Amino acid sequence: MSTGSVASGAGTAPKGCAHPPGCHTGELPVYASATVGARFWLLIEHSGPWASHLEDCSLPEDVHILIKRATRLGIRPQLIRRPGRRNPEETGIHVMIADSGSARPWIAEGVIAGPDDLNLDSVVAGVVPESCILVSEPVFLVCTHAKRNACCARIGLPLARSLAKTLPDTVWETSHVGGDRYAANLVCLPHGLYYGSMSQAAAIAAADAYRSGEVILDRFRGRAGIPEPLQAAEHFIRIHTGDLSVGGVAVESSRLDGAVTEAFLRGSGARFRVVVEPMTLTTPCGTACADTITTYRLVTLDRLTPVRYATSALI
């Protein structure tokens, strides 16, 4: 199989870039750049405004407490709001909780009176809190965090509004999700699938695919919660096998030898050995969004033995 390269996130930008050709258009590689530290999610509805960082936002004290508790437990907090409108303040705090790393990822929501009504310890144990109920519909997050990066708002806002017209009640604007250089960013929950450099048409296609249990490799950044080299390995297996099902490819084991990562994966009824190594590409932006991106090159891909057991949805 021919070699290739995939992108990884490195660094963030407080402001937008000059948008030269190739920047934010999907021409640059985005693969293997999903946020590694996002297995559990806490989404909190708050109309804004949002400061550059959540701890600096003007939020009710109860919301700040929730954010601090979630961060301490390794749960990724996100502020969310409905695209194109600012709802009046309501009684209680509307929250959604998601577990992207379990064998069967789930998302639940509820309205709580205060922080003590949401058991975040149960979330990291893989249990739905009693104050929330499971929801069957996926949730789509579009980063529109202007104070973090102007590009996220410039590109993300119209995308969020367009996607919300197609999929009402499932789309939310959200605060920084990681990887400003890949704006506009789309996150599909509960599986934590990341897409970047999204056009409105690409976002609709990705959302439709996810609702059908599949991914689209074009502009697919990867699956949150796993190391970037393993996201790269999954990406190359999907290219090799053509398996686009959300849970069709999974990592069994891996080891790091210097800068080189060797991984063993299963997919399409077989086991594979994949070796990837990092490389650096210079971007056309040359500004705040990104001067370079760290990417991964495929070194080796070997088919091993058939898999004689059912594959699970996630590692």
Side-chain angles (χ1 to χ4, degrees):
M1 177 177 175
S2 62
T3 60
S5 63
V6 292
S8 169
T12 58
K15 298 180 180 180
C17 71
H19 325 301
C23 191
H24 304 305
T25 64
E27 296 177 33
L28 291 173
V30 303
Y31 317 113
S33 63
T35 300
V36 173
R39 172 177 173 176
F40 303 103
W41 301 74
L42 169 62
L43 315 180
I44 306 171
E45 184 174 5
H46 186 270
S47 294
W50 301 337
S52 176
H53 294 79
L54 297 192
E55 61 267 26
D56 298 325
C57 291
S58 178
L59 302 170
E61 183 59 27
D62 282 350
V63 174
H64 275 300
I65 291 173
L66 276 174
I67 290 172
K68 290 177 182 177
R69 287 181 180 175
T71 302
R72 189 166 58 247
L73 290 169
I75 300 171
R76 184 178 180 91
Q78 298 282 147
L79 297 178
I80 59 172
R81 60 193 175 203
R82 286 297 187 187
R85 67 179 189 267
R86 301 292 181 263
N87 294 332
E89 295 297 329
E90 298 178 354
T91 303
I93 307 170
H94 177 215
V95 298
M96 284 186 273
I97 287 288
D99 180 352
S100 295
S102 67
R104 294 183 177 180
W106 53 265
I107 188 165
E109 70 176 333
V111 177
I112 59 175
D116 292 338
D117 293 331
L118 182 62
N119 185 350
L120 293 177
D121 289 312
S122 71
V123 176
V124 296
V127 178
V128 178
E130 292 184 357
S131 55
C132 298
I133 59 172
L134 286 171
V135 295
S136 57
E137 287 294 314
V139 169
F140 300 100
L141 306 179
V142 179
C143 181
T144 61
H145 201 163
K147 288 294 181 68
R148 188 66 178 243
N149 187 296
C151 295
C152 293
R154 181 184 66 86
I155 312 172
L157 275 169
L159 188 150
R161 293 170 182 174
S162 173
L163 191 59
K165 291 179 181 178
T166 304
L167 298 170
D169 301 323
T170 65
V171 179
W172 298 83
E173 295 180 28
T174 192
S175 54
H176 177 65
V177 296
D180 301 322
R181 68 193 56 186
Y182 305 116
N185 283 298
L186 172 70
V187 180
C188 308
L189 293 175
H191 285 81
L193 306 184
Y194 270 58
Y195 287 87
S197 300
M198 296 298 275
S199 66
Q200 295 181 28
I204 292 172
D208 285 343
Y210 183 57
R211 289 164 60 87
S212 299
E214 295 187 340
V215 301
I216 292 178
L217 291 184
D218 180 38
R219 312 191 193 203
F220 181 49
R221 291 181 57 189
R223 186 157 50 91
I226 66 174
E228 291 160 345
L230 302 186
Q231 295 179 37
E234 287 193 4
H235 172 77
F236 287 124
I237 289 296
R238 289 188 184 278
I239 291 177
H240 181 74
T241 64
D243 192 333
L244 299 180
S245 60
V246 170
V249 178
V251 177
E252 292 183 337
S253 64
S254 65
R255 70 181 185 90
L256 185 64
D257 183 6
V260 175
T261 299
E262 178 186 44
F264 293 88
L265 301 91
R266 61 181 184 271
S268 295
R271 295 180 67 247
F272 298 88
R273 173 180 174 269
V274 179
V275 178
V276 298
E277 64 181 7
M279 62 180 291
T280 300
L281 294 179
T282 301
T283 73
C285 294
T287 61
C289 278
D291 293 324
T292 62
I293 54 175
T294 299
T295 68
Y296 288 89
R297 177 191 292 113
L298 176 63
V299 178
T300 304
L301 192 158
D302 299 314
R303 182 185 176 99
L304 302 177
T305 58
V307 175
R308 301 186 182 279
Y309 50 88
T311 59
S312 60
L314 290 173
I315 61 171

